[in-house]
Amino acid sequence: MATGDYTSIKDPGVGNKMGGLQQVIYIAPYETITTLQEPAAGTFNINTAHVFGAADGFLAVYVIQDTGMLKINPMGGPDRNSFKAEGEFHHPGESDAIINFMNKAKSGRFIILAPLPGTTELIQVGNKEFQARIAPSYDTGKNSGDGRTSMFKFECFMADIVKYKASTVPLKPVAP
Amino acid sequence: MAREKLPDGVGELPAPAPDALPVSTSAYRLVDTDELAPVVHVPLTGRDYELAKLTESQAEQLHTLGWPHIEKV
């Protein structure tokens, strides 16, 4: 569908519409992306994978089931609306890797791909104009609670909602 | 290239395991590889792949599901 064109939507279709996010989220430091793809002409879909340097790529971060979510709220006054994306996810415990990520991410700028359950589509949060910010936190909880948790909230301004529909998500290679 | 004569008592190297077969013997090949990172997540299967170590069964599944970066030789 071309951008700017309205079309009738008489039926929502039978595609899966499960809520929340999948059990992994993809996060890339903005400065590591060498080519940040744009939506295909006339669409709000990115169909080509972003490009990184040889040693970089999206980081896959495990998400505790039923903790990943993304909400895109309206922002701005009449005739000047845009969007603000707000999301969160939890990761169990405090491994060295997740503590390292928390300490670095609190001051970084990111492109985030949020995978939608039951589909092959992801919502992209962040673009060339605005990048996502991540606010990490940590909670030991209580003895009788769910357990120790690293928690992450993220937010980003968005002029438009954009889907990432490329056939691959390039990942950061694991060091040998 | 002429092959060096092995010292007495030293046998030929064992044949490689099936998963180590060179790409040219695979029934599948990657296409548009300039668009592919060495390690990728494929939303179609929900799995991550180190493409240099793609197995025949993984290639078969990706081809069957219509992943656009693989074709049958």
Side-chain angles (χ1 to χ4, degrees), chain B residues 16-61:
Chain B
D19 272 354
L21 289 172
V23 173
S24 60
T25 66
S26 170
Y28 301 90
R29 71 176 168 215
L30 296 173
V31 296
D32 299 327
T33 52
D34 54 327
E35 298 174 11
L36 292 172
V39 184
V40 297
H41 170 77
V42 175
L44 199 57
T45 59
R47 304 298 298 268
D48 302 342
Y49 303 92
E50 188 173 345
L51 293 177
K53 297 180 179 175
L54 199 66
T55 67
E56 282 293 297
S57 60
Q58 289 171 332
E60 181 181 9
Q61 183 190 34

Side-chain angles (χ1 to χ4, degrees), chain A residues 99-118:
Chain A
I99 293 292
N100 179 65
F101 177 78
M102 293 169 80
N103 287 335
K104 290 179 71 69
K106 67 185 189 298
S107 302
R109 296 185 292 150
F110 300 92
I111 301 296
I112 296 175
L113 299 179
L116 306 177

Side-chain angles (χ1 to χ4, degrees), chain A residues 21 27 34 45 60 76 80-81 90 97 103:
Chain A
L21 303 180
I27 301 172
T34 55
N45 298 328
R80 292 156 290 169
N81 277 116
H90 293 181
N103 287 335

Side-chain angles (χ1 to χ4, degrees), chain A residues 18-27 61-73 84-91 112-117 122-125 132-134 151-156 158:
Chain A
M18 181 182 178
L21 303 180
Q22 294 183 19
Q23 279 189 258
V24 67
I25 193 165
Y26 299 95
I27 301 172
V61 179
Y62 176 81
V63 174
I64 297 175
Q65 190 171 287
D66 206 20
T67 68
M69 58 87 67
L70 171 65
K71 190 170 185 181
I72 300 177
N73 295 305
K84 182 181 181 183
E86 295 178 314
E88 65 181 60
F89 62 92
H90 293 181
H91 182 94
I112 296 175
L113 299 179
L116 306 177
L122 305 92
I123 300 286
Q124 178 168 304
V125 179
R133 291 184 294 117
I134 296 177
M151 297 168 293
F152 300 87
K153 291 187 176 182
F154 58 91
E155 63 180 33
C156 188
M158 307 167 75

